Amino acid sequence: MVRRTVGGAGGFEERRRGQRFKLALRVQLNDGIGMTRDISTSGIFFETENAHSIGDTIRLFLNFEHETLQCEARVVRVEPRNGQFGVAVELTSYVFC
């Protein structure tokens, strides 16, 4: 999550807890599919056709080569993007299965 501030570099204060990695993976959601744009140990940003509301709890699945990561997450930001929605989530739990 990034917060706008007065002063500081570029007017933003970095609030992310983990280093982000640009990664395009298909994400399976209860109500459809999406594509990740970046991921860290504390959160994921993905694009999807379906809108979500800030505060929603969602379940998502990321398929890696030999493992599937099942996550529970809380929606912290939603933004319109090219006819879809960019969704930032904070992970509340995850497990490889």
Side-chain angles (χ1 to χ4, degrees):
M1 176 185 295
V2 178
R3 175 186 290 166
R4 184 173 274 296
T5 63
V6 176
F12 292 95
E13 171 190 352
E14 182 65 57
R15 293 181 52 201
R16 293 178 178 142
R17 292 183 304 205
Q19 181 180 357
R20 295 271 169 165
F21 298 94
K22 292 205 178 292
L23 186 62
L25 287 175
R26 181 183 161 140
V27 57
Q28 180 69 44
L29 306 157
N30 289 339
D31 61 352
I33 60 169
M35 184 66 66
T36 65
R37 294 295 171 234
D38 62 54
I39 187 170
S40 77
T41 57
S42 60
I44 299 172
F45 183 78
F46 63 92
E47 292 180 352
T48 185
E49 293 180 351
N50 300 316
H52 293 275
S53 298
I54 293 174
D56 282 354
T57 298
I58 62 173
R59 176 175 289 148
L60 47 104
F61 298 87
L62 300 171
N63 292 312
F64 292 91
E65 191 171 320
H66 299 290
E67 300 281 344
T68 298
L69 182 65
Q70 177 181 327
C71 306
E72 294 282 332
R74 184 176 59 86
V75 176
V76 294
R77 188 176 80 247
V78 179
E79 56 189 53
R81 300 188 107 193
N82 305 320
Q84 295 192 329
F85 297 93
V87 180
V89 296
E90 176 182 37
L91 300 177
T92 54
S93 69
Y94 55 89
V95 62
F96 280 98
C97 44

